[in-house]
Amino acid sequence: MDEEYDVIVLGTGLKECILSGLLSVDGLKVLHMDKNDYYGGESSSLNLNQLWKRFRGDEQPPERLGSSKEYNADMIPKFMMANGGLVRVLIHTNVTKYLNFKAVDGSFVYNKGKIYKVPATDVEALKSSLMGLFEKRRLRKFFIFVQDFVESDPKTHQGMDLNTITARELISKYELEDDTIDFIGHALALHIDDTYLDQPALDFVKRVKLYAESLARFQAGSPYIYPMYGLGELPQAFARLSAVYGGTYMLNKPQCQVEFDADGKAVGVTSEGETAKCKKVVCDPSYLTDKVKKVGKVARAICIMSHPIPDTNDSHSCQVILPQKQLGRQSDMYLFCCSYAHNVAPKGKFIAFVATEAETDDPQTELKPGVDLLGPVDDIFYETYDRFEPANDPDADNCFISASYDGTTHFESTVRDVIAMYSKITGKDLDLSVDLSAASAAAAEE
């Protein structure tokens, strides 16, 4: 271990594994260590016995739930947008060859106490029962503008400069109702609060366009895809990639201690009496607790069920977004459901998550609006975890720390953090202009 590396990565969470893969592909010499004896860190996948051990201690899971090893319960469950950032990273690094994807059946939004399919195109707008006839026509016009919009072609901008007008001003031109704006902003553009309304409209339009194009990609009921056997496959796929490019992986390395020089710059990592030297350290917040600040916490419920979420057209996999305003909250709530169709549970079993940014210290009461939508559950576990963000200056100490995972059930915010970290570490932008067809449409196969 007494060698010098360009970068030492601590933790095998998804963000760290993606960065390790990207940096290895760039030709950097990477050492990747984890204090745990398993991949994934906070974003690991647990079988039934591991799930019970984590939440119930020495209790054994009941036999009625089936075989432990047939469960792959992701601790940070997130779907991928078919044309989104993570899929582009997977193609850019050729990690797609290690993974099999399958399309997610449904994308839904909660409105006035009911679950509705999210309409994302002009055709769907006219069919949707979410709104009345006149509102459908107004929404259809907005969707046609978004579908036709090309950033480099001013003729498609209808005389507007989306870098200067805000999302609120753009939406007001279409005279859309508040409930409609709610689901476009939160269930299509995937904004986690309403601050986007006063930002330039360009990002908002691009996000709605990404959703519509992802939806068209596999002709499924949603714009999302998910790996067979769950997300636990991802860190391992990136570990393989890193190894192909000469990266070194070491699991089960206790007390990984970052070493600093007299100027406070990271110069290496010590574990079990050996020190590996490096120019930069990349890690999750648990490895450098004195360089991060707590910014919030996530409350969530993990449920095992024997049926799909009611009112989701019997979807074996789906996301339901409950916009903050619908619940009188400051942040959205998310429902995630996956099943034996994606090989994450035994036949007939479904795994559902309810998650949100915690606003109280009582997850059970806070998550009730989401849990109530699930119908009967076989078993349920509640937990909260703190969210941390880096509070250091990477230029001063050579430490690049990822932010904790948020409560969203899609990957867009996670990937933005990874891409920003990559640029800080390397001083260059990540080129993600890839041939999207390289992520094979096996995603759409049954």
Side-chain angles (χ1 to χ4, degrees):
M1 197 169 121
D2 297 327
E3 283 185 61
E4 176 140 7
Y5 295 86
D6 293 311
V7 180
I8 295 180
V9 182
L10 300 176
T12 50
L14 189 60
K15 289 184 186 182
E16 288 71 38
C17 286
I18 296 174
L19 284 165
S20 168
L22 289 171
L23 297 171
S24 299
V25 171
D26 273 357
L28 296 180
K29 189 174 177 186
V30 178
L31 170 63
H32 200 145
M33 298 159 71
D34 195 319
K35 56 193 171 193
N36 298 312
D37 59 356
Y38 55 85
Y39 281 107
E42 293 299 315
S43 49
S44 59
S45 251
L46 304 184
N47 64 31
L48 197 60
N49 290 340
Q50 290 167 326
L51 193 65
W52 240 256
K53 187 176 171 188
R54 176 169 169 158
F55 292 103
R56 303 266 162 89
D58 294 334
E59 254 187 65
Q60 289 301 306
E63 283 184 11
R64 62 184 162 77
L65 294 179
S67 162
S68 167
K69 66 176 191 293
E70 288 188 58
Y71 283 87
N72 293 295
D74 292 316
M75 288 299 95
I76 305 284
K78 290 176 188 287
F79 290 131
M80 299 171 202
M81 192 70 89
N83 285 11
L86 181 54
V87 170
R88 288 175 182 274
V89 169
L90 294 172
I91 294 168
H92 172 81
T93 53
N94 205 13
V95 166
T96 39
K97 67 181 176 209
Y98 300 124
L99 298 161
N100 287 314
F101 291 102
K102 186 171 171 180
V104 171
D105 294 339
S107 174
F108 299 87
V109 65
Y110 176 83
N111 189 281
K112 295 195 176 79
K114 282 192 179 156
I115 293 177
Y116 295 91
K117 183 180 188 309
V118 176
T121 62
D122 52 326
V123 177
E124 287 187 348
L126 291 178
K127 288 187 196 158
S128 175
S129 57
L130 246 177
M131 55 219 140
L133 180 63
F134 295 111
E135 183 68 356
K136 285 181 184 181
R137 289 178 182 166
R138 290 189 284 266
L139 179 61
R140 179 173 178 268
K141 277 187 186 153
F142 171 73
F143 279 152
I144 289 172
F145 166 70
V146 171
Q147 283 156 1
D148 293 344
F149 179 83
V150 178
E151 193 176 351
S152 57
D153 181 2
K155 287 202 284 291
T156 65
H157 299 188
Q158 296 187 3
M160 296 180 284
D161 180 355
L162 296 195
N163 284 308
T164 53
I165 72 162
T166 64
R168 194 186 300 277
E169 290 165 333
L170 171 68
I171 290 165
S172 70
K173 290 188 175 6
Y174 293 90
E175 299 175 348
L176 298 172
E177 294 166 5
D178 280 353
D179 277 347
T180 308
I181 296 167
D182 221 18
F183 85 72
I184 297 173
H186 293 258
L188 285 172
L190 302 178
H191 286 289
I192 54 177
D193 55 34
D194 280 342
T195 51
Y196 76 92
L197 286 166
D198 299 309
Q199 312 278 338
L202 182 62
D203 179 54
F204 166 66
V205 168
K206 280 181 168 173
R207 283 169 171 236
V208 177
K209 201 172 171 68
L210 170 66
Y211 187 104
E213 287 170 355
S214 295
L215 184 67
R217 172 89 185 278
F218 294 125
Q219 302 294 315
S222 85
Y224 301 109
I225 60 176
Y226 200 65
M228 298 298 280
Y229 302 100
L231 294 177
E233 298 295 296
L234 277 173
Q236 294 179 48
F238 277 102
R240 272 184 230 150
L241 171 81
S242 186
V244 167
Y245 284 89
T248 307
Y249 266 73
M250 295 182 183
L251 292 180
N252 208 4
K253 298 296 283 184
Q255 284 99 39
C256 291
Q257 180 72 39
V258 181
E259 303 291 348
F260 295 91
D261 66 11
D263 299 328
K265 286 188 184 295
V267 290
V269 175
T270 301
S271 173
E272 297 174 312
E274 291 183 282
T275 302
K277 298 187 184 70
C278 66
K279 300 182 184 89
K280 291 172 181 169
V281 169
V282 173
C283 65
D284 70 43
S286 71
Y287 286 86
L288 284 172
T289 50
D290 57 339
K291 289 183 181 287
V292 294
K293 58 179 190 280
K294 183 181 166 184
V295 290
K297 61 179 179 175
V298 174
R300 60 182 178 176
I302 303 166
C303 311
I304 299 171
M305 315 194 297
S306 300
H307 59 84
I309 297 176
D311 304 318
T312 59
N313 308 334
D314 290 334
S315 296
H316 276 245
S317 51
C318 69
Q319 172 180 268
V320 186
I321 294 184
L322 289 68
Q324 54 185 64
K325 271 191 195 155
Q326 300 292 327
L327 302 173
R329 295 172 47 79
Q330 304 299 309
S331 41
D332 294 357
M333 192 172 289
Y334 301 87
L335 304 190
F336 167 104
C337 179
C338 221
S339 74
Y340 58 94
H342 274 83
N343 296 0
V344 299
K347 194 150 180 62
K349 293 297 177 192
F350 295 73
I351 296 176
F353 281 76
V354 184
T356 188
E357 184 68 18
E359 295 170 15
T360 69
D361 291 323
D362 179 2
Q364 208 155 336
T365 307
E366 194 164 354
L367 294 169
K368 191 174 187 308
V371 173
D372 285 351
L373 294 172
L374 298 178
V377 298
D378 300 341
D379 250 294
I380 186 162
F381 310 93
Y382 288 96
E383 77 167 350
T384 55
Y385 65 87
D386 291 336
R387 273 193 322 110
F388 297 96
E389 281 179 4
N392 65 320
D393 173 6
D395 292 334
D397 61 14
N398 290 345
C399 296
F400 300 84
I401 307 168
S402 62
S404 306
Y405 298 93
D406 60 21
T408 61
T409 44
H410 50 76
F411 262 114
E412 296 309 293
S413 53
T414 300
V415 176
R416 277 195 290 277
D417 186 31
V418 168
I419 292 168
M421 285 179 72
Y422 174 87
S423 298
K424 278 185 195 150
I425 295 163
T426 61
K428 60 184 187 182
D429 288 335
L430 183 59
D431 177 15
L432 290 178
S433 52
V434 293
D435 174 13
L436 282 162
S437 64
S440 74
E445 289 170 13
E446 281 305 315

